[in-house]
Amino acid sequence: MHEEYFRVTSCQHNGYKYTIFTGIPLKADSYKINSGKYIVSIRCENQSLPIKPSVGQQWRVRGVRTLETVQAGDYKLQQHLYDAPAEMECTLPETGEALIRFIANEKEFTGIGEAKARASGTLLAVTCTPYSNPIPPSTEVV
């Protein structure tokens, strides 16, 4: 069994029965990219998904992995393919800083740059305490 963390970059198929989605590998429990030399792909039945995957989400997958080579334009990439993985979960950034960078860098949060994300993150750190590394209270809210 293998385990990987990844950020969803595309949802190739979302049909009646099956879903296929792909992403870039992340370091365990981090928003940072682990490697640009391979991609992670999931093929699974819809009923096994905890939530519908969408671009920008971070996931953890565990199961039997097969390695394939895929052509992307002029490049060949290695694909880590999990077909019906044993475990899947959509994870969230666990630190305040990871949440700030996630919001500031994702296209889905149009109009929110690092300053606004940091201000929002400061408010979240004050009102919510699940972060293991909260944002310092000295950070100025704009």
Side-chain angles (χ1 to χ4, degrees), residues 37-134:
K37 297 180 180 178
Y38 69 93
I39 57 174
V40 179
S41 294
I42 309 297
R43 284 188 215 156
C44 63
E45 290 187 10
N46 292 340
Q47 66 186 11
S48 68
L49 289 168
I51 63 170
K52 181 181 174 182
S54 65
V55 173
Q57 291 174 338
Q58 294 181 24
W59 284 69
R60 181 187 66 84
V61 63
R62 186 170 184 268
V64 177
R65 175 183 78 187
T66 57
L67 303 177
E68 297 179 357
T69 301
V70 293
Q71 190 78 30
D74 293 335
Y75 299 98
K76 288 185 179 181
L77 293 172
Q78 188 176 60
Q79 175 177 258
H80 293 192
L81 177 62
Y82 292 86
D83 199 356
E87 295 176 34
M88 292 182 289
E89 73 173 325
C90 183
T91 62
L92 294 174
E94 291 187 16
T95 66
E97 186 63 26
L99 179 63
I100 288 167
R101 290 181 186 223
F102 176 76
I103 291 171
N105 294 327
E106 292 302 319
K107 296 175 195 169
E108 287 75 18
F109 297 100
T110 304
I112 300 178
E114 188 168 343
K116 284 184 184 176
R118 193 162 297 285
S120 299
T122 300
L123 293 173
L124 285 172
V126 171
T127 59
C128 303
T129 57
Y131 295 120
S132 58
N133 182 16

